[in-house]
Amino acid sequence: MSKKNTVFFRLPFFALAVLLCVPLIACKMPNDKVPPRNQSLPLFNPHVADFICETEASKVPPIDAQAEDWFLEARAMEDPEIFVEDRDYKKIVDLTRQAAQRLHWKAMLNLASLYVEGRDPLHGEEEAVQLVEKAMRLGIPAAYDRMGTYYANGTGVNGDITRAYAFWQKAAQMGNPQAMEFLAGKLKVGPSSEGAGYWSKTPGSDKDVGMRFWPRKRFSSLSIAFFVCVSACCQWRNKWTA
């Protein structure tokens, strides 16, 4: 066989080898390249020996003054005293988006809520998830809590209660009071659940989804730790205020 023919036959084999290797390389994607919604997290563990109480305020980035003005103006326009049909949601979305573009973390999460609620026809659940992912990259504890809720409700992602609890656990470890209070409620202890012996659901909670039951008394220490941490945090609402 001539040298020319040898080269001719080797090239397809080389190309095939490259094609076979590319998928393998793609599977080994570095952690910083994995979308936050798909990141690997430890499973929820109610049996931890101790819990380090962090505060969310120490984790979030500083808020831009102009962004804060836009954010507060949007919040004022969504005052509960104003009937929903009387609210100017176009302006509310515009103001919240302006603040979010300056990385105002509360505005970012509020804008995600507005997208999910259908207040902006051009943006929906996928854009909401992307916004929350952006906040997660900034290290915002509340963004991890929100992603947990999205997994619990199947909002923009495939519903997965196991991943939901993993994200809520991460948020609690980062100091998010919503996640801590929710998980403490699921690990009910004290007079309100005396004699129950098992987890019970929280009626009316947006995270009230099917879950696995375990003996209550095994989790009392972690539940108390959550309650103690929450007591040190500021009050919160479903949508961020000032």
Side-chain angles (χ1 to χ4, degrees):
M1 185 182 292
S2 68
K3 196 177 223 180
K4 183 177 179 181
N5 288 336
T6 301
V7 172
F8 175 80
F9 283 110
R10 282 178 181 171
L11 285 175
F13 286 109
F14 175 75
L16 180 61
V18 170
L19 290 174
L20 290 173
C21 289
V22 167
L24 295 175
I25 294 172
C27 291
K28 298 291 184 181
M29 187 182 294
N31 288 334
D32 61 344
K33 300 297 183 183
V34 176
R37 74 184 79 178
N38 296 332
Q39 66 182 261
S40 177
L41 292 173
L43 294 176
F44 175 58
N45 178 17
H47 305 290
V48 293
D50 53 27
F51 180 79
I52 299 174
C53 187
E54 301 283 355
T55 57
E56 184 170 72
S58 66
K59 308 287 185 183
V60 298
I63 290 177
D64 176 270
Q66 178 60 72
E68 178 74 352
D69 288 344
W70 287 328
F71 171 73
L72 293 178
E73 185 178 351
R75 294 301 299 130
M77 294 178 66
E78 212 173 3
D79 189 287
E81 296 296 321
I82 303 174
F83 289 115
V84 174
E85 56 269 25
D86 293 334
R87 299 174 188 173
D88 185 352
Y89 271 106
K90 184 180 184 305
K91 187 171 182 180
I92 291 171
V93 169
D94 288 342
L95 288 168
T96 306
R97 183 182 291 118
Q98 285 177 270
Q101 288 171 344
R102 293 203 180 198
L103 302 184
H104 188 300
W105 66 272
K106 295 179 183 179
M108 293 169 73
L109 296 181
N110 271 15
L111 185 58
S113 293
L114 291 167
Y115 287 168
V116 170
E117 293 168 6
R119 304 300 182 184
D120 183 350
L122 299 179
H123 298 86
E125 292 185 355
E126 174 57 28
E127 288 76 18
V129 173
Q130 290 176 13
L131 259 177
V132 173
E133 287 185 310
K134 187 174 182 179
M136 289 169 70
R137 290 189 180 97
L138 294 174
I140 308 300
Y144 284 83
D145 175 71
R146 182 69 61 85
M147 188 60 72
T149 302
Y150 283 177
Y151 268 105
N153 298 332
T155 303
V157 294
N158 293 326
D160 187 331
I161 193 60
T162 298
R163 284 191 61 74
Y165 271 88
F167 276 106
W168 289 329
Q169 175 176 253
K170 175 68 173 176
Q173 291 169 340
M174 296 173 72
N176 177 254
Q178 294 96 318
M180 284 190 279
E181 185 162 352
F182 172 73
L183 292 176
K186 291 300 182 182
L187 308 178
K188 280 184 179 291
V189 293
S192 62
S193 61
E194 200 65 49
Y198 294 92
W199 287 7
S200 57
K201 297 181 179 181
T202 305
S205 169
D206 62 345
K207 296 172 182 171
D208 191 7
V209 291
M211 59 179 290
R212 192 172 168 190
F213 291 111
W214 298 85
R216 170 183 56 80
K217 61 183 180 181
R218 296 162 71 181
F219 308 143
S220 58
S221 295
L222 181 59
S223 180
I224 291 171
F226 283 146
F227 276 121
V228 169
C229 286
V230 169
S231 67
C233 298
C234 59
Q235 294 296 314
W236 55 273
R237 299 178 181 177
N238 288 336
K239 276 197 174 182
W240 295 105
T241 54

